[in-house]
Amino acid sequence: MIRPFGWNEFLIIVMAAQWTIALSAIAFAGGGIGGLLIALARVSEVRPLRLAALGFIRVFQGTPLLMQLFLVFFGMNIFGLAINPWIAATMALTLHASAFLGEIWRGCIEAVPSGQREAATALGLKYYNRMRYIVLPQAARIAVAPTVGFLVQLVKGTSLAAIIGFTELTRQGQIINNATFSPFMVFGTVAAIYFILCWPLSLLARRMELKFSRATQR
Amino acid sequence: MADTHAHTSKADVRGASGPAVTMEGVNKWYAEFHALKDINLSVDRGERIVICGPSGSGKSTLIRCINQLEMIQKGRIVVDDHDLTAGGKNVDIVRQETGMVFQSFNLFPHMTVLENCTLAPMKVRGISKAEAEATAMQFLERVRIPEQAEKYPAQLSGGQQQRVAIARALCMNPKIMLFDEPTSALDPEMVKEVLDTMIDLANEGMTMLCVTHEMGFARQVADRVIFMDRGEIVEVGAPEDFFNNPQHERTRNFLGQIS
């Protein structure tokens, strides 16, 4: 039943990139919200909150993404939920992204000089307004480059979702390879598509980093 | 603000009774370091206080306790009849009623001069943008830089930035102004423009506490000069007594070193 690797097979793989993009986008959006909460908890004045966020970050930084996927995937089953690769993959990647973005953004928030917070406090601005108008806008400028850099890692990281049966780019490659048995062609195509997704992001990250370092020099 | 009060007495009052600031038995520690030792001080409304002393003497810490940028561990601070020790809402009120000017300006670099001046009045006092901008322009004119309103802090000189910082604080219509070494980070040729602004403010009857080593300023505007050393208030006096006839050895040594 082996069929040749042709135009059709190529298109099927290209089309599967949409699921990689969708998974990355959802994980990045969810991780953006989760990461902000984690970062704020990490710089909070409330000690238990700081420690909880630190624990969360350490766990996710200290274990492989594949194990995180497995734990969420099989954990859902234990808690009586139906096994669903979509939900498991988006949940695991969102938690993963939350931890990493949380740690990146914590550094960016702490890089804003403490005098900024003091001046805002002295003017009577309270926590929400201080963060929203003074601290976070300044932290965001520093955060752009490393955040885009992490997005590249995240896009590549979605390939692991193939192992729990989520049909994205890598999994589609495996399926086509099983039918055509031309692994070099198939995975060459898959790799090329990842590259096309990630390369512009890397360029963007570099340009933003340059722009920021120039902006801070003056 | 003070136009109608411009040359009235120091007892200039806006509807409250007690002293502007009262500190009773205030103690503060940074871990093992005893930063403030049993501070007792009462500042009248409209009074101008200059605080001097060697670095690490606790003078900055002292004024930072007044708007609770620093917490104290023991004692009592009452600002404009609001007891800070009681915490809660009082701290918010006191921060709104006190303006602070920092050594390093601390303007918000991502906002224009005008935005720096309007943010707190809009977000804290809830006044409209148009009104906040009108007030801001008024104070920027008073510190003589209305033409810089649309610029960003990084485009201004140090002296201009510090005058914006003063205008920004005044936009909240504070009853008390705290100055934490406002001219120490400035190039010498810019010190005067900032001091002149502060002198104007003093002449308008503002209650002021200034940490500064500008002794000329102290002689000219201070009602009382306070000398601090190692976390204690060593000597308090009217400028002429303080400079011409200091009572304490430590004060004499300090004055000898800086003059």
Side-chain angles (χ1 to χ4, degrees):
Chain A
M1 249 306 283
I2 290 177
R3 60 179 206 248
F5 183 79
W7 188 238
N8 254 345
E9 285 69 24
F10 175 76
L11 279 183
I12 291 171
I13 292 177
V14 171
M15 291 308 285
Q18 65 181 303
W19 303 117
T20 291
I21 294 170
L23 188 55
S24 306
I26 294 170
F28 188 63
I33 297 165
L36 182 61
L37 295 177
I38 292 288
L40 290 175
R42 277 287 272 128
V43 299
S44 159
E45 281 169 21
V46 185
R47 198 175 133 87
L49 215 54
R50 261 194 337 257
L51 291 178
L54 180 64
F56 180 84
I57 291 169
R58 288 285 176 268
V59 167
F60 279 86
Q61 284 193 333
T63 54
L65 175 57
L66 185 56
M67 292 310 119
Q68 295 160 18
L69 278 161
F70 278 167
L71 285 174
V72 173
F73 186 64
F74 295 116
M76 279 169 56
N77 194 29
I78 290 167
F79 290 107
L81 297 162
I83 287 187
N84 180 330
W86 250 109
I87 296 177
T90 50
M91 239 171 79
L93 282 162
T94 295
L95 291 172
H96 177 82
S98 299
F100 278 79
L101 288 175
E103 187 66 356
I104 292 171
W105 292 346
R106 171 196 64 85
C108 299
I109 290 173
E110 285 178 348
V112 177
S114 61
Q116 292 290 309
R117 225 160 305 184
E118 287 179 357
T121 307
L123 281 167
L125 292 161
K126 292 198 218 155
Y127 179 81
Y128 175 80
N129 285 329
R130 278 202 304 268
M131 280 296 169
R132 170 155 178 208
Y133 295 104
I134 306 303
V135 178
L136 292 182
Q138 293 184 60
R141 293 180 186 201
I142 318 170
V144 175
T147 302
V148 177
F150 174 73
L151 181 55
V152 173
Q153 299 299 318
L154 191 64
V155 170
K156 292 188 286 187
T158 59
S159 64
L160 289 172
I163 296 171
I164 60 167
F166 183 96
T167 311
E168 37 63 79
L169 193 50
T170 302
R171 178 94 186 111
Q172 194 59 260
Q174 288 171 337
I175 292 167
I176 296 291
N177 183 48
N178 289 345
T180 61
F181 208 69
S182 10
F184 194 75
M185 288 297 288
V186 169
F187 292 114
T189 306
V190 168
I193 295 171
Y194 276 115
F195 185 78
I196 289 165
L197 292 178
C198 293
W199 175 239
L201 289 174
S202 297
L203 283 181
L204 186 67
R206 247 222 328 265
R207 265 194 37 198
M208 285 171 159
E209 204 151 1
L210 266 173
K211 201 174 138 193
F212 175 72
S213 65
R214 246 186 255 126
T216 47
Q217 266 166 17
R218 49 163 188 143
Chain B
M1 182 195 66
D3 291 339
T4 52
H5 301 274
H7 297 286
T8 52
S9 75
K10 284 158 203 164
D12 173 21
V13 176
R14 267 185 266 159
S17 51
V21 179
T22 310
M23 300 180 115
E24 288 169 2
V26 169
N27 281 273
K28 177 172 177 64
W29 288 264
Y30 292 107
E32 294 298 298
F33 180 66
H34 201 168
L36 292 178
K37 294 174 190 160
D38 211 26
I39 301 289
N40 291 291
L41 176 68
S42 176
V43 180
D44 286 334
R45 288 166 200 277
E47 198 177 13
R48 281 90 56 148
I49 304 273
V50 164
I51 305 168
C52 59
S55 65
S57 59
K59 52 199 193 304
S60 287
T61 307
L62 179 89
I63 68 164
R64 286 161 62 90
C65 288
I66 294 172
N67 63 354
Q68 288 263 292
L69 287 184
E70 306 283 353
M71 308 290 259
I72 60 167
Q73 277 82 40
K74 211 175 128 203
R76 187 159 163 265
I77 302 179
V78 183
V79 182
D80 191 39
D81 298 333
H82 301 287
D83 190 343
L84 283 175
T85 335
K89 273 245 172 309
N90 283 359
V91 176
D92 298 334
I93 296 169
V94 166
R95 283 179 181 158
Q96 291 174 29
E97 305 293 322
T98 50
M100 187 170 220
V101 176
F102 300 86
Q103 181 177 354
S104 48
F105 326 138
N106 294 348
L107 293 179
F108 307 133
H110 59 302
M111 295 181 176
T112 64
V113 164
L114 192 62
E115 286 165 347
N116 264 278
C117 292
T118 55
L119 180 74
M122 284 162 64
K123 298 300 164 193
V124 179
R125 298 252 194 252
I127 68 174
S128 73
K129 189 174 179 199
E131 197 185 330
E133 287 183 346
T135 311
M137 286 313 296
Q138 213 179 311
F139 283 111
L140 287 172
E141 259 158 52
R142 192 174 305 181
V143 300
R144 300 182 204 94
I145 35 174
E147 71 282 2
Q148 313 286 2
E150 299 304 325
K151 289 198 181 159
Y152 285 88
Q155 297 169 283
L156 306 183
S157 73
Q160 290 173 324
Q161 289 193 50
Q162 195 61 299
R163 283 185 285 148
V164 171
I166 293 172
R168 177 174 73 177
L170 292 176
C171 283
M172 284 295 283
N173 195 17
K175 294 180 178 169
I176 300 165
M177 283 289 285
L178 309 172
F179 293 86
D180 189 1
E181 303 204 33
T183 57
S184 301
L186 294 175
D187 292 332
E189 73 271 21
M190 293 170 184
V191 169
K192 186 173 179 298
E193 64 187 63
V194 171
L195 289 180
D196 284 346
T197 308
M198 291 166 66
I199 291 166
D200 287 348
L201 203 56
N203 290 337
E204 287 159 10
M206 176 65 78
T207 309
M208 294 165 71
L209 283 92
C210 312
V211 172
T212 181
H213 292 146
E214 295 293 336
M215 290 304 138
F217 173 80
R219 281 176 194 273
Q220 192 178 345
V221 307
D223 296 304
R224 280 188 292 165
V225 183
I226 293 176
F227 173 67
M228 287 185 72
D229 190 21
R230 289 176 233 152
E232 296 169 310
I233 292 182
V234 176
E235 184 158 353
V236 183
E240 49 284 17
D241 301 334
F242 183 87
F243 290 112
N244 300 335
N245 189 19
Q247 298 300 304
H248 291 261
E249 183 66 36
R250 282 195 271 176
T251 316
R252 282 195 287 272
N253 284 340
F254 177 74
L255 290 174
Q257 277 163 12
I258 61 165
S259 56

